Amino acid sequence: EYSASHPEEQRYAYLHGVTQSPNPGVQLSNGVICFQRRELIKKYKASKDEEGNWIVDSNGYPTAEDTSFANTVDIIESVASIVYSKDYGETWETSPHTPLGVMMDELTVAEAKPNQICINGRGGTEAAWNAGKVYRHIFFQVTPIDDRESFSIDNWEADYETRITKEDSIVNAGFAKIEGFTIPGANKEIQPFWLFCNIYNPDGYERHSQLLRVSPDCHNWFKVKLLTSNEEIVGGYSSIASTSDSIYIIIESYRVGKPMKFINLTTEYL
């Protein structure tokens, strides 16, 4: 009940949800198919109607129709896990989730070592989460298993040195391990390396300057090149794919009536 001393007491609800990611999954060297999965608990506040009455259900909580993004107060937990199949999609299993208390959102995955999956996640959002939690995180599967039929994911190990920086935290990222890549005309393959593509905006939340980074080991990251103009506003979601001699990046343009940006990287960038 509302007390006389707190007539404007706010009502809240806590809802659990499971979602997939805007990025693709991967197939490991042993044939296991892996997709990323996010679980989150959101805290919502109730709204008021035109007469100033709370819009709540019979128990005094916000209704299902009143759980919009604008009503999100905080995200209490957001953890990542992997849904994987050892029989090429006939049956599926779910891994343990990443530790509580470490925000993981808009997930990307890659094969770190043979048959070892890793998850790269955005650690926050500019709208709802505490600014102190927004750096990116990477978790590695602790024990790789080469045999496909006995494959499982036991637990996750954090690599806190792989937090890129806070300036990369605002939006879903393109993240990929590039293997078997050969520069046209070269007589050997380049050693595996990692690419990370995301918004670069150290001075604010405006989405511009899509930055490409490269790493030889997924630990040490080096800036390569801005892929969009510093003056151009973009949506910023990106995804990376490769063949033996080409690397492609798709970037979301500004979200109102603009086409996607398609970039074919050349040796000029690498």
Side-chain angles (χ1 to χ4, degrees), residues 244-257:
S244 61
D245 58 5
S246 296
I247 297 172
Y248 307 98
I249 300 178
I250 296 177
I251 299 173
E252 178 192 28
S253 298
Y254 191 65
R255 293 176 175 175
V256 181

Side-chain angles (χ1 to χ4, degrees), residues 36-80:
Q36 54 274 49
R37 177 177 183 266
R38 181 189 66 166
E39 296 184 48
L40 70 160
I41 299 174
K42 285 185 178 181
K43 179 180 180 181
Y44 295 96
K45 62 182 179 181
S47 298
K48 289 186 176 182
D49 61 22
E50 294 180 354
E51 286 73 38
N53 300 311
W54 293 109
I55 303 174
V56 294
D57 62 19
S58 59
N59 295 313
Y61 294 106
T63 63
E65 295 76 21
D66 201 27
T67 54
S68 67
F69 183 78
N71 282 35
T72 303
V73 176
D74 198 5
I75 296 180
I76 309 303
E77 291 289 353
S78 182
V79 295

Side-chain angles (χ1 to χ4, degrees), residues 1-105:
E1 296 181 359
Y2 297 114
S3 66
S5 59
H6 299 284
E8 295 299 312
E9 181 183 355
Q10 180 68 67
R11 294 296 181 94
Y12 299 100
Y14 299 84
L15 298 180
H16 174 268
V18 177
T19 63
Q20 298 303 111
S21 167
N23 287 295
V26 296
Q27 187 169 24
L28 303 181
S29 300
N30 61 9
V32 173
I33 301 170
C34 298
F35 289 97
Q36 54 274 49
R37 177 177 183 266
R38 181 189 66 166
E39 296 184 48
L40 70 160
I41 299 174
K42 285 185 178 181
K43 179 180 180 181
Y44 295 96
K45 62 182 179 181
S47 298
K48 289 186 176 182
D49 61 22
E50 294 180 354
E51 286 73 38
N53 300 311
W54 293 109
I55 303 174
V56 294
D57 62 19
S58 59
N59 295 313
Y61 294 106
T63 63
E65 295 76 21
D66 201 27
T67 54
S68 67
F69 183 78
N71 282 35
T72 303
V73 176
D74 198 5
I75 296 180
I76 309 303
E77 291 289 353
S78 182
V79 295
S81 59
I82 294 292
V83 178
Y84 60 96
S85 175
K86 300 185 288 188
D87 51 16
Y88 308 110
E90 291 294 326
T91 60
W92 295 87
E93 300 177 39
T94 302
S95 76
H97 62 67
T98 54
L100 298 175
V102 180
M103 294 295 184
M104 294 287 283
D105 188 17

